[in-house]
Amino acid sequence: MTSLPPALLAALEKALGPGGLLTDASDMAPFLTDWRSLFHGKACAVARPASTEACAEAVRLCAEHNVPVVPQGGNTSMVGGATPDETGHALVIVTSRMNRVREIDPIDNTMVVEAGVTLKAAQDAATAAGLMLPLSISSEGSAEIGGVLATNAGGNNTVRYGNARELVLGLEAVLPDGQVLDVMRRLRKDNTGYALRQLFIGSEGTLGLITTAILQLQPKPKSVEAALCAVTDAKGALALFSAFRNTEPSAIQAFEFMSGLSMNLVNTLIPDASLPLSEPAPAYVLVELASPREGGALRDLMEEVLGNAFEEGLVSDAVLAESETQRLAFWKLREEHAEAQKRAGASVKNDVSVPLSAIPTFIDRATAACETLIPGIRVAPFGHIGDGNIHFNLVQPEGADGKAFLARDHEMMDTVANIVKELGGSFSAEHGVGQLKTYMMPAWRGGAELDMMRRIKGAVDPEGIMNPGKIFPAA
């Protein structure tokens, strides 16, 4: 069932141990399709190393035989970043067996974690130690640390704590020739040349395979307040964010925007999702405040800002969470948007960012342009308005043919991207480029920027075996 030469097959089986190499088609199938079922690839085999040493030996053997390598974590990529191509030449290396939380240091506030640990498991381990791993994304139950770092994931708490890049102190990665790069230093100050770990964060596995990381933790909040608010539109949502920021910026932990249409899909298609407001609204905001101090100061702050917002007409209705259960129910409404849109039919995802001041203009212009392009299209934006990242998703018209809709994905993506570009934004804020958006790179990152990326890729991976077909457009 595999195209691997017998000698390489035997060497990989020996290096990976029992159960470490999958060659049967049915066993490999779950690793050859992306979460959105947009990309379907083939592979010569699927490797499941249980240690850095086994992973390094597998990559070394691939380099020796010129076999491409596709790193894969939880397989939650939205852009086909962890799916092999259709040639069947590549070895998919899955990190899920490398799943130990090795150490938590409560003095340094750090965690040493292997690539295959899910983000949720890492969060839980930090919580058990009285600390907090602040990175939070909708797919955290299945997304793994290696992939989270390789894509520089952002998520709900970026407005306060930054992207994944800001949380990494040290890193270990297997290079394309099988060498292990060890920069596992938990130092906050280290001016000794290039910060090599930063090359791998956001590189989408094109420079090497992340195996272990040292993550920066934070004190666990002792006081958290959340509110779900009804607002008129994105302009009102942004004004509400400014009101909280101008009052107490350090208290804001998350500030999420949800369009009325997108929220309606959640309420309609997700079991147990229930809008706690008196009536539907054109748009919604979920704001969460947090502090490592106990007491009622956050509640007072929330009520003060929302009270003023009511008087100014920024908010028409709001519900404050009265329990942890209700807070989690608010977050369920936010986190199920992607799943609800998936259930509603075919969708085109535009993960974009623009300057905060441009968000209302972007949403208005892009909505009008897409509705003109495809009458009946359901425009369902939501996302992290506090850091300028909007998931401007487009769902097929009701009753339309999904395949015909997806056949026009580049038209829709380009329509949105052109407006984003005019407003000084980015066509990919946190999902990465993968293989879905490589065609955009020349226009957006061409010239010296793309040339320098190619030079770095060529220097680290001269044979081009690491995750081919991702980030870079075909030559």
Side-chain angles (χ1 to χ4, degrees):
M1 300 298 292
T2 178
S3 60
L4 287 171
L8 177 56
L9 176 62
L12 285 170
E13 288 178 334
K14 180 180 179 181
L16 297 166
L21 189 68
L22 307 179
T23 56
D24 183 80
S26 60
D27 292 336
M28 292 193 293
F31 306 100
L32 305 182
T33 301
D34 70 312
W35 182 81
R36 297 175 63 193
S37 297
L38 293 181
F39 297 95
H40 307 275
K42 299 177 181 178
C44 59
V46 173
R48 301 173 63 242
S51 67
T52 296
E53 293 74 22
C55 183
E57 179 62 8
V59 173
R60 187 193 68 77
L61 289 166
C62 286
E64 186 178 294
H65 291 80
N66 199 32
V67 173
V69 170
V70 176
Q72 187 178 108
N75 200 18
T76 60
S77 175
M78 295 287 191
V79 292
T83 306
D85 61 23
E86 296 181 349
T87 64
H89 296 157
L91 177 74
V92 177
I93 298 185
V94 178
T95 59
S96 57
R97 295 174 71 199
M98 302 170 61
N99 56 12
R100 292 183 301 151
V101 176
R102 295 184 186 173
E103 179 188 357
I104 295 178
D105 190 314
I107 303 299
D108 284 335
N109 277 13
T110 58
M111 163 186 284
V112 180
V113 60
E114 293 179 348
V117 175
T118 65
L119 179 54
K120 181 64 166 61
Q123 292 170 345
D124 290 346
T127 299
L131 296 167
M132 173 191 183
L133 177 58
L135 191 64
S136 177
I137 58 179
S138 296
S139 60
E140 60 197 27
S142 50
E144 296 174 4
I145 293 297
V148 164
L149 301 187
T151 55
N152 187 30
N156 305 329
N157 297 339
T158 298
V159 64
R160 180 163 177 172
Y161 301 103
N163 291 332
R165 186 181 303 280
E166 281 74 44
L167 302 177
V168 179
L169 293 178
L171 201 70
E172 177 188 80
V174 176
L175 301 179
D177 61 1
Q179 288 190 84
V180 176
L181 176 70
D182 184 347
V183 285
M184 292 284 287
R185 296 186 285 271
R186 65 183 72 195
L187 303 174
R188 289 161 182 78
K189 288 186 175 181
D190 183 11
N191 275 339
T192 52
Y194 302 148
L196 295 178
R197 70 183 186 278
Q198 296 292 356
L199 279 178
F200 295 87
I201 303 170
S203 70
E204 301 187 42
T206 60
L207 299 179
L209 194 154
I210 295 171
T211 53
T212 314
I214 301 174
L215 303 181
Q216 175 73 66
L217 304 178
Q218 296 290 333
K220 181 181 176 181
K222 295 179 181 177
S223 179
V224 178
E225 294 289 343
L228 184 65
C229 311
V231 296
T232 54
D233 50 23
K235 185 176 181 180
L238 185 60
L240 183 60
F241 174 72
S242 296
F244 275 101
R245 185 177 58 181
N246 293 340
T247 304
E248 184 54 77
S250 64
I252 303 171
Q253 180 158 278
F255 198 92
E256 298 291 295
F257 170 82
M258 295 157 283
S259 67
L261 189 152
S262 190
M263 180 69 87
N264 182 58
L265 292 177
V266 173
N267 283 324
T268 303
L269 300 175
I270 301 298
D272 301 324
S274 177
L275 185 66
L277 300 174
S278 59
E279 59 184 34
Y284 304 86
V285 161
L286 173 56
V287 56
E288 184 166 276
L289 310 179
S291 171
R293 301 180 63 182
E294 295 180 343
L298 289 184
R299 186 75 170 198
D300 294 342
L301 172 62
M302 184 77 81
E303 292 177 347
E304 174 191 345
V305 175
L306 290 182
N308 292 335
F310 272 109
E311 292 180 3
E312 296 172 13
L314 299 179
V315 174
S316 60
D317 196 4
V319 177
L320 277 65
E322 299 295 343
S323 66
E324 178 65 5
T325 299
Q326 190 172 27
R327 186 185 76 85
L328 293 177
F330 289 175
W331 276 107
K332 180 179 177 66
L333 290 171
R334 162 60 184 86
E335 291 170 348
E336 294 287 1
H337 280 251
E339 179 62 28
Q341 291 172 15
K342 184 178 182 181
R343 296 182 184 187
S347 64
V348 172
K349 299 184 181 298
N350 295 280
D351 162 49
V352 302
S353 63
V354 295
L356 293 186
S357 58
I359 289 174
T361 299
F362 161 66
I363 290 179
D364 288 346
R365 288 182 57 188
T367 297
C370 290
E371 289 176 344
T372 299
L373 180 69
I374 301 180
I377 196 172
R378 288 175 284 179
V379 181
F382 66 97
H384 322 297
I385 198 169
D387 57 51
N389 175 196
I390 298 296
H391 300 295
F392 194 82
N393 294 351
L394 306 169
V395 183
Q396 68 176 70
E398 290 190 65
D401 179 81
K403 289 185 178 180
F405 180 76
L406 290 178
R408 301 183 66 183
D409 63 343
H410 281 201
E411 282 184 79
M412 289 178 268
M413 290 165 62
D414 290 343
T415 296
V416 174
N418 288 338
I419 297 170
V420 171
K421 196 170 187 179
E422 290 175 10
L423 296 173
S426 171
F427 70 88
S428 184
E430 61 181 1
H431 291 166
V433 178
Q435 54 186 306
L436 178 64
K437 300 182 179 181
T438 55
Y439 80 96
M440 292 181 163
M441 289 294 280
W444 286 74
R445 300 290 180 256
E449 188 174 4
L450 184 56
D451 182 58
M452 188 167 184
M453 290 187 199
R454 289 189 187 277
R455 292 187 187 189
I456 293 171
K457 169 71 170 174
V460 178
D461 182 21
E463 301 303 321
I465 72 166
M466 295 302 302
N467 215 11
K470 314 308 192 302
I471 296 182
F472 299 98

